[in-house]
Amino acid sequence: MDSRRALIERSIPFLNEIKNRTAGKELESWLNTTYSAGTELYDELSRLIKAGVLEEGWAADTEIDGPRYRRGLVAPPSEETCYFSITAVYMDSVARYRGQYHAHPYGEVNLVVPIGPGAELLGPRGWQGAGWTAPEPGSHHYPEARGGALIALFYLPAGRISYDVHPSGAAR
């Protein structure tokens, strides 16, 4: 089985486990307690997405802002994935870096995978290194990274993400 398919297969039991939970502070805390770095799930998903981004090139393969900010769909929402989409984002933050503003109509669950020590992603409750963020439904933000390169493997209920918003909250 190739690493892309292995990542999807490894995500399915996890998605079945969280499919009836709402993204937000409670889920984020549970994820960082239950599936922190060093657990089998975190380590296996991290290994597979690193292979897809850094070695094989099938993940985060579309440049958004040159090679330092890339994104790519791993799997669209489907019955198999409990109607979550799976997407990978690569951000290289030699200096603190801000990506594309967006909203999460139904929330978002992110696996944060630092490529080097010190890389962090800004989540709704502050900076997160190896671990998880879970912005709640209706949240919106600029994704920000600092301290080096990282991958965010994110799971979106119904594949919903909106890039047609801007910081004032009004649609473009």
Side-chain angles (χ1 to χ4, degrees):
M1 176 181 336
D2 67 23
S3 61
R4 180 187 205 122
R5 187 68 213 162
L7 176 71
I8 295 167
E9 292 287 329
R10 188 59 190 97
S11 294
I12 291 169
F14 168 69
L15 294 171
N16 271 301
E17 188 173 5
I18 67 164
K19 69 183 176 186
N20 293 319
R21 301 187 73 163
T22 302
K25 182 179 182 179
E26 183 181 308
L27 180 58
E28 183 172 300
S29 178
W30 180 82
L31 288 166
N32 280 306
T33 299
T34 308
Y35 294 122
S36 60
T39 62
E40 188 272 330
L41 176 72
Y42 179 91
D43 291 351
E44 184 64 5
L45 290 174
S46 295
R47 182 187 71 76
L48 291 166
I49 199 57
K50 281 181 181 177
V53 172
L54 303 175
E55 299 164 22
E56 300 165 9
W58 54 261
D61 56 348
T62 302
E63 291 185 1
I64 306 302
D65 183 18
R68 71 181 192 165
Y69 182 37
R70 304 188 315 257
R71 180 170 61 232
L73 183 66
V74 174
S78 67
E79 184 175 0
E80 176 184 47
T81 62
C82 302
Y83 298 99
F84 282 80
S85 64
I86 305 171
T87 301
V89 171
Y90 172 86
M91 295 176 78
D92 188 351
S93 61
V94 174
R96 186 169 167 176
Y97 179 74
R98 182 183 261 192
Q100 188 177 14
Y101 196 82
H102 63 276
H104 314 110
Y106 300 149
E108 177 179 55
V109 175
N110 293 300
L111 175 75
V112 181
V113 182
I115 303 303
E120 297 176 300
L121 182 70
L122 183 60
R125 279 158 281 290
W127 291 99
Q128 176 67 54
W132 300 84
T133 68
E136 58 276 336
S139 60
H140 45 93
H141 68 114
Y142 287 101
E144 292 188 57
R146 70 178 184 190
L150 61 81
I151 301 166
L153 178 65
F154 62 93
Y155 300 94
L156 293 168
R160 291 290 310 274
I161 192 164
S162 177
Y163 292 102
D164 64 350
V165 296
H166 53 89
S168 69
R172 289 185 186 172

